[in-house]
Amino acid sequence: MRYKNILVTGGSGMVGKSLKNIMPNADYYSSSHLNLLNEKDVELHMTRKKYDVVIHLAAKVGGIIDNINKPVDYFEENLIMNTNIIRWSHLTGVKRFIGILSTCIYPDKVDTYPMTEEMLHQGPPTPTNFSYGYAKRCLAVQIDAYNKQYGTNYQYLIPCNLYGENDKFGENSHFIAALVKKIVKMQEDGTNTLELFGTGKPLRQFMHSDDLAWVIKECLDKNIYESFNVATEENLSIREMAEIAISSCGLKNVKINFDSTKPDGQYRKDVSIDKLKGLLPKFKTLPLSEGIKKVYDKIS
């Protein structure tokens, strides 16, 4: 890798930890060390350090219920963080900026699936995380605008839902982490019923955080500047993923009970990875069953 001075925001998070395993010499900063909501802090840090590369992982994230209850927080905090870090990356001469988005930036519904990168602005994001989705979509607009106005080589990657053994396992867990945590608790309580939100029908692509980290590093190593989707080709229902998790964790005779009074979220949001495969033909993802077993072994 020809870049030596690299900043990773959100460095203590799940993707940051995956990235640190393969890029140990970068600077990994969490919000306790660099407050991206404070522009003065960002200015002072970026001016002092003079980075070549910024990998922007930091974001305010949470589950469906928290997104529904706190739309202002999710919109404003992400917008402010994104604006501060990209502005001062540009003003301090950062050569490469990679912003990590989410497939929730895509329209709630489209005519054809999987969604390609060109379909981003064909409609609004899903209502259940509308503010977060739009704030992250705005980062794509910002990056494209900087490239157009200033001739920068900045890019964004749009990963599908992520999981990993370094995920949060608290109130704002991602689905796979929350699912495995529920399975562990079910075992501890000696029950055989797994309680889940919604109907179990929505479809999702879930990818291990190590796979995204590999793509980020490859973009730097191979001088890839284009923006594109990063996902697995598996597009499974919530029920199917729950069944895979039960099997991967070595359980049998488990009943899955779905609470249909709780929201499902977006029905489907699968994305095409044709562009990714063209740029990185060696890309492959860890099978979900193997990844879930890694998560289970970490917390059980």
Side-chain angles (χ1 to χ4, degrees):
M1 184 183 298
R2 62 191 177 92
Y3 301 106
K4 294 184 178 179
N5 203 10
I6 300 172
L7 168 66
V8 180
T9 70
S12 63
M14 176 175 62
V15 179
K17 288 177 180 176
S18 288
L19 202 56
K20 195 170 186 177
N21 289 332
I22 57 175
M23 292 174 51
N25 296 323
D27 287 350
Y28 291 84
Y29 279 84
S30 66
S31 58
S32 60
H33 297 102
L34 177 60
N35 181 8
L36 297 182
L37 293 171
N38 186 317
E39 185 175 1
K40 197 65 182 176
D41 284 358
V42 177
E43 176 188 355
L44 289 172
H45 183 81
M46 298 297 289
T47 302
R48 185 176 74 252
K49 297 289 285 190
K50 295 289 185 182
Y51 290 105
D52 297 315
V53 177
V54 170
I55 300 169
H56 180 40
L57 305 176
K60 178 176 177 60
V61 298
I64 288 177
I65 303 301
D66 206 46
N67 270 271
I68 291 171
N69 291 336
K70 300 175 182 176
V72 173
D73 295 356
Y74 282 91
F75 187 73
E76 288 189 350
E77 290 187 29
N78 282 296
L79 214 59
I80 291 167
M81 283 191 284
N82 295 343
T83 298
N84 285 341
I85 190 63
I86 194 169
R87 174 185 290 161
W88 284 101
S89 292
H90 168 65
L91 290 175
T92 56
V94 168
K95 299 179 182 69
R96 294 291 305 272
F97 182 98
I98 303 178
I100 305 303
L101 307 185
S102 163
T103 51
C104 71
I105 70 176
Y106 277 104
D108 184 30
K109 296 181 179 69
V110 293
D111 294 333
T112 59
Y113 292 90
M115 292 181 282
T116 64
E117 292 82 358
E118 293 73 28
M119 298 167 73
L120 177 56
H121 299 290
Q122 288 187 5
T126 186
T128 47
N129 57 0
F130 185 84
S131 291
Y132 174 77
Y134 244 124
K136 297 294 276 186
R137 187 188 291 191
C138 283
L139 181 55
V141 174
Q142 279 181 298
I143 289 171
D144 288 339
Y146 270 86
N147 289 341
K148 182 178 180 181
Q149 185 167 338
Y150 297 114
T152 48
N153 283 319
Y154 295 173
Q155 74 183 124
Y156 51 89
L157 302 177
I158 312 173
C160 65
N161 295 77
L162 299 172
Y163 73 98
E165 52 272 27
N166 291 311
D167 201 349
K168 296 177 182 177
F169 293 92
E171 186 176 329
N172 288 329
S173 297
H174 295 98
F175 172 70
I176 295 295
L179 174 63
V180 176
K181 186 178 177 182
K182 284 186 176 185
I183 289 173
V184 171
K185 188 174 188 309
M186 188 182 68
Q187 289 179 292
E188 291 172 348
D189 294 343
T191 65
N192 67 342
T193 302
L194 181 62
E195 304 282 349
L196 298 176
F197 281 6
T199 64
K201 295 178 182 178
L203 303 171
R204 292 290 183 271
Q205 293 166 302
F206 264 92
M207 181 176 66
H208 196 279
S209 59
D210 287 355
D211 297 327
L212 176 59
W214 181 86
V215 171
I216 293 169
K217 185 174 185 297
E218 286 291 293
C219 284
L220 293 176
D221 289 348
K222 293 183 165 55
N223 297 319
I224 295 170
Y225 302 101
E226 295 176 66
S227 298
F228 53 90
N229 299 324
V230 184
T232 174
E233 291 186 290
E234 289 181 306
N235 189 36
L236 305 172
S237 72
I238 298 297
R239 177 178 286 279
E240 287 174 318
M241 286 188 283
E243 290 169 349
I244 289 171
I246 290 166
S247 176
S248 298
C249 297
L251 277 68
K252 296 180 180 179
N253 302 318
V254 173
K255 177 185 177 184
I256 305 174
N257 183 39
F258 286 99
D259 182 356
S260 59
T261 65
K262 299 293 193 298
D264 261 336
Q266 195 170 2
Y267 174 63
R268 66 182 297 182
K269 57 174 185 170
D270 43 302
V271 295
S272 167
I273 59 169
D274 287 347
K275 189 172 181 181
L276 163 61
K277 290 190 292 186
L279 293 166
L280 295 169
K282 292 183 180 179
F283 173 73
K284 62 179 181 179
T285 58
L286 183 71
L288 184 61
S289 58
E290 294 180 29
I292 287 177
K293 183 64 165 57
K294 291 177 72 172
V295 176
Y296 177 75
D297 289 344
K298 173 74 178 288
I299 67 171
S300 62

